[in-house]
Amino acid sequence: MHERSSVAGLAKSLKAELNRYSPGEKLPSSRALVERYRVSPVTVTRALAQLASEGLVVTRPGAGAYRADTRTAAPAAGDTSWQELALSADTATELVPRSVDASGVLVTLAAPPPGVVEFNGGYLHPVLQPERALAAALARAGRRPGAWGRPPADGLTDLRAWFAREVGGSVTAAEILITAGGQSALTTALRALAPPGTPVLVESPTYPGMLAVARSAGLRPVPVPTDADGIRPDLLEAAFRATGARVVVCQPLFQNPTGAALPVERRAAVVRIARAAGAFVIEDDFARRLVHEDSAPLPPTLAADDPDGVVVHVCSLTKITSASLRVGALAARGPVLERLRAIQVVDSFFVPRPLQEAALELVGSPAWSRHLRAVTQELKNRRDTMTGAVALHLPELALPHIPSGGYHLWLRLPDTLPEAALLPTALRAGVAVAPGRPYFAAEPPAGHIRLSFAGVAGPAEIIEGVRRLRTAIDELTG
């Protein structure tokens, strides 16, 4: 049995037996638990640690584990009503009041109840993650000389050089800043490029986490419509003229949520239009390594073809590895680099060196290329499975674009199917989906849902999840 599932199973069994013991009574010894449940001593230790973290048992070194006394009086409720005034007082003079709405992000971070098919995920399922390679990389990283010392504020030189090669073109290590993942990089870029109260142009629809960052910084997201080929250059140019914005955020490759990829002519047009407006392009290149076909070459990054410093490039290792490998990069050239560096240092000082060293070990190992090939093939298989299942079981849902990269499908709901009612109904049917509303900066043109095929165990679970979604829709429309 997998170690992680063994720990969870033993913890569940021990929790069910706790009522046999009085508060303060000693539990069986670790040796007795090993023999009774036929698990390893490590599993016993971790299961007891889990119960201790939940306040159910107390472990005493050298003495054993004891049932905790949970019969404690509830703390007196305080009066926090004063905070309403304190938190709203600083918005009275703001042109665009700052708001922190993480609901669109939490949908993809929250784990659904056990037994629910997770179509709302934003990361690779553990079966797709390079867990052994990550563990080996972390172990090697911890033994590197100076691995626990303070890293350079900009990041390890070798890691910056690797990211520079990934960005391509004439980008150098000196133009790279290592960040704590892509979300942190987006936050730094938006804070650096747009002062509070100003507009920022965004694709419509777009990534909810970026909209949340913009609004929390007091920015005003202005939507620019997209089509099957991504953001429309004619409307982008009109939006710059109408708003005077100095920033546009764009995902040129496998856009979230539509999956669109900008063709060559549009890629050049986006940079040219921004340059003419005296504006920056924040290129969120989050999905480059989530390609579904490894035969056709990918287009270069916008930053690779930008000698004038129009593009501020954002990328990370998180999506292709694990949600916990929060290592990313910002690439920029010109005076803006110093501003990005200053904000990065003030916000976080630096990314922990052991994590940077582990990232270096991973991308420099033979396991890295094997992992990329395996994920490419598996994502293609899952995309095809989900596409076929949707066509068979959910023909009334429109799929305007089948992506060639990324980890999800973007489906338009018929006008007769309310998005707000579908989500809880689907959850009762045993499938969690991501709502479309958080992906729009303004009123959406129709109801949508996003279905992830990367956060589930495999094709069989995809087919079952689509069947459950069929049940939910029948309940609403039958």
Side-chain angles (χ1 to χ4, degrees):
M1 184 182 292
H2 195 282
E3 181 67 30
R4 183 160 52 193
S5 59
S6 298
V7 171
L10 179 57
K12 183 178 180 180
S13 298
L14 294 177
K15 191 181 300 184
E17 294 187 2
L18 280 179
N19 287 334
R20 299 181 183 179
Y21 303 92
S22 303
E25 185 178 351
K26 186 176 181 180
L27 274 62
S29 67
S30 295
R31 179 176 297 179
L33 294 176
V34 166
E35 294 176 356
R36 180 189 303 179
Y37 292 98
R38 299 184 181 277
V39 294
S40 70
V42 172
T43 298
V44 170
T45 300
R46 291 181 177 176
L48 289 174
Q50 180 176 323
L51 295 186
S53 69
E54 297 176 19
L56 300 177
V57 302
V58 176
T59 56
R60 300 171 187 167
Y66 300 78
R67 181 182 173 184
D69 188 352
T70 57
R71 301 169 300 179
T72 56
D79 180 7
T80 60
S81 58
W82 65 272
Q83 293 185 5
E84 294 183 38
L85 178 60
L87 291 174
S88 60
D90 62 347
T91 65
T93 60
E94 292 183 347
L95 293 175
V96 181
R98 306 181 196 197
S99 61
V100 183
D101 181 5
S103 57
V105 181
L106 290 175
V107 166
T108 63
L109 294 179
V116 172
V117 177
E118 190 174 354
F119 282 167
N120 62 324
Y123 298 99
L124 296 181
H125 188 276
V127 300
L128 295 178
Q129 296 175 15
E131 287 191 335
R132 290 185 179 180
L134 282 167
L138 191 60
R140 293 194 302 270
R143 296 192 296 268
R144 282 189 171 198
W148 295 92
R150 177 172 57 85
D154 289 357
L156 298 180
T157 301
D158 289 347
L159 186 58
R160 292 162 63 202
W162 182 85
F163 271 112
R165 291 192 295 272
E166 290 290 299
V167 177
S170 60
V171 175
T172 67
E175 295 164 332
I176 296 288
L177 302 175
I178 301 300
T179 67
Q183 186 73 6
S184 174
L186 281 173
T187 301
T188 297
L190 281 169
R191 285 184 58 198
L193 302 178
T198 59
V200 56
L201 305 186
V202 301
E203 296 165 316
S204 182
T206 191
Y207 167 51
M210 185 275 298
L211 292 176
V213 167
R215 289 173 176 142
S216 68
L219 305 178
R220 179 166 55 89
V222 177
V224 180
T226 60
D227 58 20
D229 289 328
I231 195 168
R232 289 180 51 182
D234 58 331
L235 297 181
L236 176 64
E237 192 167 19
F240 272 125
R241 286 197 307 266
T243 65
R246 290 294 177 264
V247 181
V248 58
V249 184
C250 181
Q251 294 178 328
L253 193 61
F254 314 139
Q255 198 258 0
N256 181 11
T258 66
L262 283 178
V264 174
E265 60 275 10
R266 286 201 185 184
R267 296 167 58 82
V270 166
V271 177
R272 173 177 49 77
I273 290 167
R275 178 70 179 85
F280 288 97
V281 177
I282 298 178
E283 178 187 20
D284 183 7
D285 197 31
F286 78 103
R288 179 164 293 270
R289 298 171 187 86
L290 299 174
V291 63
H292 299 165
E293 307 283 350
D294 56 7
S295 55
L298 291 176
T301 65
L302 298 185
D305 295 329
D306 170 42
D308 299 331
V310 175
V311 179
V312 173
H313 180 90
V314 171
C315 59
S316 95
L317 290 170
T318 306
K319 290 293 187 184
I320 189 60
T321 56
S322 161
S324 289
L325 187 63
R326 306 209 63 79
V327 175
L330 276 167
R333 53 178 32 135
V336 71
L337 182 62
E338 186 55 41
R339 182 178 294 187
L340 292 166
R341 178 184 291 114
I343 292 176
Q344 164 92 350
V345 169
V346 168
D347 279 354
S348 58
F349 283 10
F350 48 78
V351 177
R353 182 162 187 156
L355 206 55
Q356 294 191 54
E357 298 279 10
L360 260 178
E361 288 283 355
L362 177 66
V363 300
S365 70
W368 178 241
S369 57
R370 292 197 298 269
H371 170 64
L372 295 181
R373 288 194 298 270
V375 170
T376 290
Q377 183 59 49
E378 185 61 25
L379 288 181
K380 181 180 185 299
N381 291 340
R382 288 165 176 242
R383 179 204 63 190
D384 293 345
T385 298
M386 180 173 277
T387 301
V390 166
L392 178 64
H393 298 289
L394 306 172
E396 69 270 48
L397 272 59
L399 177 60
H401 177 70
I402 298 177
S404 57
Y407 54 88
H408 58 264
L409 298 183
W410 179 244
L411 300 167
R412 177 168 176 161
L413 305 179
D415 295 338
T416 55
L417 184 58
E419 178 184 312
L422 177 58
L423 269 67
T425 306
L427 197 58
R428 289 195 300 271
V431 57
V433 303
R437 179 64 186 88
Y439 291 82
F440 292 91
E443 291 76 12
H448 291 79
I449 56 173
R450 197 194 74 164
L451 304 184
S452 169
F453 46 78
V456 294
E461 193 170 2
I462 290 174
I463 294 172
E464 176 60 24
V466 172
R467 286 174 177 165
R468 294 180 184 184
L469 191 54
R470 174 74 268 166
T471 300
I473 292 175
D474 288 343
E475 179 180 334
L476 289 173
T477 60

